[in-house]
Amino acid sequence: MTVALFLEQILNGLQLGVMLFLMAAGLTLIFGVMGLINLAHGSLFMVGGFVCAAVAAWTGSFWIGLAASLAAAAAFGALVEIVVIRRLYDRDHLDQVLATFALVLMFSEGVRFVFGSFPLYLDPPAFLAGPVMLPGGLPYPAYRLAIIIAGLIVAIGLGLLISRTRLGMQIRAGEADREMIAALGVDIRFLYTVVFALGAALAGFAGALIGAIQSVQIGMGEPVLILAFVVIVIGGIGSIRGALVAAVIVGLVDTMGRFLLPTLLAHVMEASAARSVGSALASMLIYLLMAAVLVFKPKGLFPANA
């Protein structure tokens, strides 16, 4: 194991972390303001990836595809909120889970009908296609580094939106007391639609960015959605700061676990067994981390009402 390889895995963990933040930020906003469990959030991640890949292939421009993915995810999010989600706010969480799970199936079949069953592939912009030399002579894929930077910029922008704008003030008030801000004259329906569309746009943005690293395919959002739920439980439901910190922690723990455990176990067992056992244990690490956090901090690291 070399220092360069170790640092590369650290950066890979950060890249996974910021991608999880883009997913978890939308989820935690939606649950914090609306009290809604949205299993269809991963489907909006998938929509962003498919729209970006299809539009980029049609226009020859990754950036047009990226803009289209944001617009499409936000538009689908607003439409879903108005047509379906709006009827679930006064229902219990079981009804919300069943309804949004039905949306997952509908989105999957709809995407299959429009784009087909085969994976799509998305090329990054030409100037981000190769490696970049980091301090210390470490070569690292420029596109992965760009994802880290883009995710951090979005985190800063989202933090400023929540803390410095009128919309952010309404979102924070909605998390604390939805009935009160409605009584004060805030159009709560419009606020819900905006929040849901914002969360959907963040998911679509994440799907578009990750589409240039892995193939864009049906069901790509569900594994990421599970990790995003882990992130918001660790970070604290409704907390953007908690989502960012927890996402980075989860990304690093997952990546470094998959990298280090097989190597460490190889010292006490055969290499093939070490790879198998190490991979199995690595997949459990983030859930063990979540359990440990819940034991000592049941509301998460940074609860929104703290």
Side-chain angles (χ1 to χ4, degrees), residues 172-229:
R172 296 197 311 274
E175 291 177 345
D177 194 331
R178 294 189 293 271
E179 291 77 13
M180 180 59 72
I181 66 167
L184 291 174
V186 174
D187 187 345
I188 196 71
R189 288 194 170 190
F190 178 74
L191 177 63
Y192 282 2
T193 303
V194 169
V195 170
F196 202 90
L198 176 61
L202 290 172
F205 183 57
L209 290 179
I210 208 68
I213 296 178
Q214 63 184 45
S215 62
V216 177
Q217 56 189 327
I218 305 293
M220 63 182 287
E222 279 67 36
V224 181
L225 179 68
I226 295 172
L227 294 178
F229 274 119

Side-chain angles (χ1 to χ4, degrees), residues 2-265:
T2 64
V3 173
L5 182 59
F6 184 83
L7 293 176
E8 180 181 4
Q9 296 304 314
I10 291 286
L11 290 173
N12 287 341
L14 287 175
Q15 180 258 302
L16 174 60
V18 297
M19 188 270 293
L20 289 176
F21 167 74
L22 293 174
M23 283 287 289
L27 267 179
T28 200
L29 276 177
I30 290 169
F31 188 85
V33 175
M34 306 175 185
L36 177 81
I37 299 177
N38 179 26
L39 296 185
H41 201 67
S43 297
L44 297 166
F45 174 89
M46 177 182 65
V47 166
F50 269 96
V51 170
C52 185
V55 173
W58 179 49
T59 62
S61 171
F62 172 86
W63 303 111
I64 295 177
L66 185 61
S69 71
L70 280 167
F76 272 108
L79 181 63
V80 165
E81 195 279 333
I82 292 170
V83 175
V84 179
I85 302 299
R86 189 168 287 182
R87 293 163 172 76
L88 299 174
Y89 296 133
D90 296 328
R91 309 291 289 270
D92 60 33
H93 289 322
L94 178 59
D95 290 339
Q96 295 172 0
V97 167
L98 292 175
T100 53
F101 180 71
L103 287 174
V104 171
L105 302 179
M106 294 172 63
F107 268 107
S108 294
E109 293 308 311
V111 168
R112 193 188 311 275
F113 177 77
V114 174
F115 298 102
S117 300
F118 296 102
L120 300 183
Y121 296 92
L122 177 64
D123 293 325
F127 73 95
L128 295 176
V132 61
M133 296 300 295
L134 298 179
L138 171 65
Y140 191 73
Y143 184 74
R144 287 182 179 268
L145 187 62
I147 291 179
I148 297 174
I149 295 171
L152 294 177
I153 291 173
V154 170
I156 293 170
L158 193 57
L160 293 175
L161 173 69
I162 299 299
S163 63
R164 302 291 180 86
T165 67
R166 183 177 181 83
L167 175 62
M169 179 181 65
Q170 293 176 351
I171 290 173
R172 296 197 311 274
E175 291 177 345
D177 194 331
R178 294 189 293 271
E179 291 77 13
M180 180 59 72
I181 66 167
L184 291 174
V186 174
D187 187 345
I188 196 71
R189 288 194 170 190
F190 178 74
L191 177 63
Y192 282 2
T193 303
V194 169
V195 170
F196 202 90
L198 176 61
L202 290 172
F205 183 57
L209 290 179
I210 208 68
I213 296 178
Q214 63 184 45
S215 62
V216 177
Q217 56 189 327
I218 305 293
M220 63 182 287
E222 279 67 36
V224 181
L225 179 68
I226 295 172
L227 294 178
F229 274 119
V230 172
V231 166
I232 64 173
V233 170
I234 292 175
I237 294 172
S239 172
I240 296 298
R241 178 180 60 164
L244 177 60
V245 173
V248 171
I249 292 173
V250 168
L252 289 173
V253 168
D254 184 71
T255 301
M256 298 307 294
R258 295 178 189 280
F259 170 60
L260 291 175
L261 280 178
T263 302
L264 294 176
L265 291 175

